[in-house]
Amino acid sequence: MDELFGLSRFLLTLLIFVPIERLFAARPQKIFRRGLLTDMAFQFVNGWMIMIGVIAVVAMAIVINRSVLPLAVKQAIDGLPYLVQAVLVILIGDLGVYWTHRILHVVPAMWQIHAVHHAVEELDWLAAVHQHPLDVIFMKAGSLFPLFALGFSTEAIGTYILVYSWQAYLVHANVRLNYGLLRYVLVSPEFHHWHHSSEKEARDKNFAGMISFYDWLFGSVYLPKGQKPKTFGVDNPMPSNYLALLVYPFIAWASNKKTTPNRARDERPTRCAD
Ligand SMILES: [Zn+2]
Ligand SMILES: [Zn+2]
């Protein structure tokens, strides 16, 4: 029960990230910031919906693994040591995250789901959970489906899930961290903060979850030297309470809008970069 609601993980992340954000803050920001209660609702209510979606995704992937995957591929993956599997799992999983995330940005109906995550205006570690359950399920489908379908070991996939969940808190945390030369390989907090920036040049950039190299490879990186993002969020008004955010994509689809939030943002004049 505790796992489903994530109470122990929440307390652990709180004990780790609140002091780190106090010591290495990228921007002055209160602990009890705007939207904190909404994020708590995402933290404690989203779990069971995500669990149902992820179980369905994994079940379908296992069916594919057992019925379609050639035996030679299964045996080759089975024969790999844990460490090699873990590295491959991170590379394949994050490639899935990259393309799923990019699709969530460019397909208008998908963007209405993902806009919920981008509605956060005061970014900190807890913003990691501010995601529509369908958004999380799509992301998990993009990353976990190929991993289970290919038949990687549960230890290797489990390692990836654990590392990714901590990485999600870290990249949203309000900390000054840019990783220096490692920025070409790994996603830092600075890298993902730019992804949330409402500045026009930064929109639809930096899609990777862990491996920033994919953004360099696919030409979607935005990491201007010596600058940091100043404002976050989307330009169109978004609801601020949990239930309204849950129904937001459905209302947006039903209203059959001609313009999507991110396209509407693009029509606005570019702000000065000072
Ligand atoms: Zn995004
Ligand atoms: Zn984010």
Side-chain angles (χ1 to χ4, degrees):
M1 187 60 85
D2 169 47
E3 251 332 291
L4 195 57
F5 291 99
L7 184 62
S8 49
R9 195 177 72 174
F10 171 73
L11 290 174
L12 188 60
T13 46
L14 182 132
L15 285 172
I16 291 171
F17 285 106
V18 170
I20 289 176
E21 288 191 340
R22 290 306 98 193
L23 289 170
F24 307 106
R27 302 166 299 282
Q29 196 165 279
K30 294 176 187 159
I31 295 174
F32 296 100
R33 57 159 172 80
R34 214 157 18 108
L36 190 68
L37 281 178
T38 301
D39 286 6
M40 301 283 265
F42 275 100
Q43 168 75 39
F44 292 112
V45 188
N46 262 9
W48 67 271
M49 290 181 272
I50 293 168
M51 190 76 80
I52 291 169
V54 170
I55 287 170
V57 166
V58 171
M60 280 189 281
I62 290 173
V63 170
I64 297 289
N65 175 269
R66 290 188 181 163
S67 58
V68 179
L69 197 74
L71 189 64
V73 178
K74 267 188 218 178
Q75 285 171 340
I77 290 173
D78 267 352
L80 295 171
Y82 161 77
L83 266 182
V84 176
Q85 285 208 28
V87 170
L88 284 176
V89 159
I90 288 173
L91 291 174
I92 295 168
D94 210 53
L95 186 62
V97 165
Y98 177 92
W99 282 109
T100 312
H101 193 178
R102 197 161 175 169
I103 290 166
L104 282 158
H105 272 253
V106 299
V107 176
M110 301 287 268
W111 167 254
Q112 308 289 13
I113 298 168
H114 189 57
V116 171
H117 182 53
H118 282 266
V120 179
E121 292 181 348
E122 294 188 45
L123 214 58
D124 67 8
W125 63 283
L126 195 54
V129 301
H130 192 290
Q131 277 185 290
H132 196 284
L134 286 175
D135 189 351
V136 184
I137 291 165
F138 281 128
M139 289 286 208
K140 296 292 180 207
S143 55
L144 297 185
F145 187 90
L147 300 177
F148 279 98
L150 286 166
F152 284 101
S153 71
T154 45
E155 288 82 8
I157 298 175
T159 303
Y160 166 66
I161 292 171
L162 185 71
V163 173
Y164 188 85
S165 65
W166 283 95
Q167 165 77 353
Y169 287 116
L170 177 64
V171 296
H172 290 93
N174 177 22
V175 291
R176 299 186 301 271
L177 256 182
N178 62 23
Y179 291 1
L181 274 179
L182 277 178
R183 69 184 180 278
Y184 293 108
V185 184
L186 298 174
V187 172
S188 66
E190 182 184 275
F191 186 94
H192 193 67
H193 291 183
W194 277 114
H195 178 70
H196 280 267
S197 169
S198 53
E199 289 157 53
K200 194 177 179 193
E201 298 78 3
R203 290 169 190 175
D204 305 329
K205 297 285 195 298
N206 300 7
F207 295 107
M210 293 174 75
I211 310 293
S212 61
F213 176 70
Y214 290 136
D215 279 288
W216 295 97
L217 181 68
F218 299 123
S220 53
V221 76
Y222 186 74
L223 209 53
K225 217 173 175 193
Q227 294 180 47
K228 56 182 185 181
K230 298 172 191 69
T231 54
F232 304 106
V234 291
D235 284 356
N236 63 300
M238 292 288 288
S240 58
N241 80 68
Y242 177 67
L243 285 178
L245 283 162
L246 268 196
V247 297
Y248 174 80
F250 304 102
I251 290 175
W253 294 335
S255 67
N256 204 13
K257 283 179 185 167
K258 288 283 185 288
T259 55
T260 60
N262 55 341
R263 300 307 143 219
R265 291 184 309 178
D266 290 342
E267 284 155 20
R268 292 178 64 144
T270 313
R271 281 181 297 135
C272 293
D274 61 357

PDB file of all heavy atoms in Angstrom, residues 101 117-118 123 127-128 171-172 192 195-196, ligand 2:
ATOM      1  N   HIS A 101       8.726  11.340 -25.826  1.00  0.00           N
ATOM      2  CA  HIS A 101       8.636  12.722 -25.344  1.00  0.00           C
ATOM      3  C   HIS A 101       8.507  13.700 -26.527  1.00  0.00           C
ATOM      4  O   HIS A 101       7.711  14.637 -26.497  1.00  0.00           O
ATOM      5  CB  HIS A 101       9.903  13.020 -24.528  1.00  0.00           C
ATOM      6  CG  HIS A 101       9.829  14.272 -23.723  1.00  0.00           C
ATOM      7  ND1 HIS A 101      10.844  14.690 -22.906  1.00  0.00           N
ATOM      8  CD2 HIS A 101       8.852  15.231 -23.610  1.00  0.00           C
ATOM      9  CE1 HIS A 101      10.502  15.829 -22.327  1.00  0.00           C
ATOM     10  NE2 HIS A 101       9.306  16.177 -22.744  1.00  0.00           N
ATOM     11  N   HIS A 117       2.387  18.633 -17.540  1.00  0.00           N
ATOM     12  CA  HIS A 117       3.732  18.652 -16.927  1.00  0.00           C
ATOM     13  C   HIS A 117       4.395  20.021 -17.100  1.00  0.00           C
ATOM     14  O   HIS A 117       5.071  20.512 -16.208  1.00  0.00           O
ATOM     15  CB  HIS A 117       4.593  17.552 -17.549  1.00  0.00           C
ATOM     16  CG  HIS A 117       5.979  17.456 -16.960  1.00  0.00           C
ATOM     17  ND1 HIS A 117       6.193  17.329 -15.607  1.00  0.00           N
ATOM     18  CD2 HIS A 117       7.207  17.486 -17.535  1.00  0.00           C
ATOM     19  CE1 HIS A 117       7.506  17.277 -15.373  1.00  0.00           C
ATOM     20  NE2 HIS A 117       8.143  17.380 -16.524  1.00  0.00           N
ATOM     21  N   HIS A 118       4.159  20.630 -18.264  1.00  0.00           N
ATOM     22  CA  HIS A 118       4.793  21.927 -18.548  1.00  0.00           C
ATOM     23  C   HIS A 118       4.049  23.097 -17.902  1.00  0.00           C
ATOM     24  O   HIS A 118       4.482  24.241 -18.033  1.00  0.00           O
ATOM     25  CB  HIS A 118       4.913  22.133 -20.058  1.00  0.00           C
ATOM     26  CG  HIS A 118       6.054  21.369 -20.642  1.00  0.00           C
ATOM     27  ND1 HIS A 118       7.314  21.917 -20.828  1.00  0.00           N
ATOM     28  CD2 HIS A 118       6.147  20.076 -21.048  1.00  0.00           C
ATOM     29  CE1 HIS A 118       8.119  20.998 -21.337  1.00  0.00           C
ATOM     30  NE2 HIS A 118       7.435  19.866 -21.481  1.00  0.00           N
ATOM     31  N   LEU A 123       9.791  25.585 -10.696  1.00  0.00           N
ATOM     32  CA  LEU A 123      10.361  24.245 -10.851  1.00  0.00           C
ATOM     33  C   LEU A 123      11.177  23.839  -9.619  1.00  0.00           C
ATOM     34  O   LEU A 123      12.051  24.579  -9.184  1.00  0.00           O
ATOM     35  CB  LEU A 123      11.264  24.270 -12.087  1.00  0.00           C
ATOM     36  CG  LEU A 123      11.375  23.024 -12.942  1.00  0.00           C
ATOM     37  CD1 LEU A 123      10.014  22.599 -13.449  1.00  0.00           C
ATOM     38  CD2 LEU A 123      12.341  23.248 -14.091  1.00  0.00           C
ATOM     39  N   ALA A 127       8.316  18.800  -8.887  1.00  0.00           N
ATOM     40  CA  ALA A 127       7.681  18.994 -10.197  1.00  0.00           C
ATOM     41  C   ALA A 127       7.802  17.730 -11.052  1.00  0.00           C
ATOM     42  O   ALA A 127       7.058  17.549 -12.018  1.00  0.00           O
ATOM     43  CB  ALA A 127       8.315  20.176 -10.916  1.00  0.00           C
ATOM     44  N   ALA A 128       8.730  16.846 -10.685  1.00  0.00           N
ATOM     45  CA  ALA A 128       8.908  15.584 -11.422  1.00  0.00           C
ATOM     46  C   ALA A 128       7.621  14.770 -11.471  1.00  0.00           C
ATOM     47  O   ALA A 128       7.381  14.037 -12.429  1.00  0.00           O
ATOM     48  CB  ALA A 128      10.021  14.759 -10.775  1.00  0.00           C
ATOM     49  N   VAL A 171      16.725  16.112 -12.059  1.00  0.00           N
ATOM     50  CA  VAL A 171      16.747  17.068 -13.177  1.00  0.00           C
ATOM     51  C   VAL A 171      15.721  18.194 -13.008  1.00  0.00           C
ATOM     52  O   VAL A 171      15.849  19.251 -13.613  1.00  0.00           O
ATOM     53  CB  VAL A 171      16.568  16.394 -14.561  1.00  0.00           C
ATOM     54  CG1 VAL A 171      17.734  15.455 -14.848  1.00  0.00           C
ATOM     55  CG2 VAL A 171      15.240  15.694 -14.705  1.00  0.00           C
ATOM     56  N   HIS A 172      14.698  17.946 -12.170  1.00  0.00           N
ATOM     57  CA  HIS A 172      13.728  19.021 -11.912  1.00  0.00           C
ATOM     58  C   HIS A 172      14.156  19.889 -10.726  1.00  0.00           C
ATOM     59  O   HIS A 172      13.644  20.988 -10.543  1.00  0.00           O
ATOM     60  CB  HIS A 172      12.328  18.439 -11.661  1.00  0.00           C
ATOM     61  CG  HIS A 172      11.707  17.853 -12.882  1.00  0.00           C
ATOM     62  ND1 HIS A 172      11.814  16.529 -13.205  1.00  0.00           N
ATOM     63  CD2 HIS A 172      10.993  18.429 -13.892  1.00  0.00           C
ATOM     64  CE1 HIS A 172      11.195  16.297 -14.353  1.00  0.00           C
ATOM     65  NE2 HIS A 172      10.685  17.431 -14.796  1.00  0.00           N
ATOM     66  N   HIS A 192      17.557  19.980 -18.303  1.00  0.00           N
ATOM     67  CA  HIS A 192      16.100  19.783 -18.271  1.00  0.00           C
ATOM     68  C   HIS A 192      15.362  21.064 -17.881  1.00  0.00           C
ATOM     69  O   HIS A 192      14.217  21.256 -18.303  1.00  0.00           O
ATOM     70  CB  HIS A 192      15.712  18.632 -17.332  1.00  0.00           C
ATOM     71  CG  HIS A 192      14.286  18.194 -17.514  1.00  0.00           C
ATOM     72  ND1 HIS A 192      13.828  17.585 -18.664  1.00  0.00           N
ATOM     73  CD2 HIS A 192      13.189  18.322 -16.716  1.00  0.00           C
ATOM     74  CE1 HIS A 192      12.536  17.341 -18.559  1.00  0.00           C
ATOM     75  NE2 HIS A 192      12.111  17.791 -17.380  1.00  0.00           N
ATOM     76  N   HIS A 195      14.397  22.668 -20.866  1.00  0.00           N
ATOM     77  CA  HIS A 195      13.242  22.022 -21.505  1.00  0.00           C
ATOM     78  C   HIS A 195      11.929  22.628 -21.012  1.00  0.00           C
ATOM     79  O   HIS A 195      10.949  22.700 -21.754  1.00  0.00           O
ATOM     80  CB  HIS A 195      13.250  20.518 -21.234  1.00  0.00           C
ATOM     81  CG  HIS A 195      12.074  19.803 -21.808  1.00  0.00           C
ATOM     82  ND1 HIS A 195      11.903  19.624 -23.167  1.00  0.00           N
ATOM     83  CD2 HIS A 195      10.964  19.261 -21.227  1.00  0.00           C
ATOM     84  CE1 HIS A 195      10.765  18.999 -23.385  1.00  0.00           C
ATOM     85  NE2 HIS A 195      10.165  18.765 -22.229  1.00  0.00           N
ATOM     86  N   HIS A 196      11.940  23.091 -19.758  1.00  0.00           N
ATOM     87  CA  HIS A 196      10.725  23.679 -19.167  1.00  0.00           C
ATOM     88  C   HIS A 196      10.633  25.178 -19.387  1.00  0.00           C
ATOM     89  O   HIS A 196       9.618  25.788 -19.017  1.00  0.00           O
ATOM     90  CB  HIS A 196      10.679  23.394 -17.662  1.00  0.00           C
ATOM     91  CG  HIS A 196      10.192  22.026 -17.326  1.00  0.00           C
ATOM     92  ND1 HIS A 196       8.876  21.750 -17.048  1.00  0.00           N
ATOM     93  CD2 HIS A 196      10.845  20.837 -17.245  1.00  0.00           C
ATOM     94  CE1 HIS A 196       8.735  20.460 -16.792  1.00  0.00           C
ATOM     95  NE2 HIS A 196       9.924  19.882 -16.905  1.00  0.00           N
TER      96      HIS A 196
HETATM   97 ZN    ZN B   2      10.143  17.867 -16.736  1.00  0.00          ZN
END
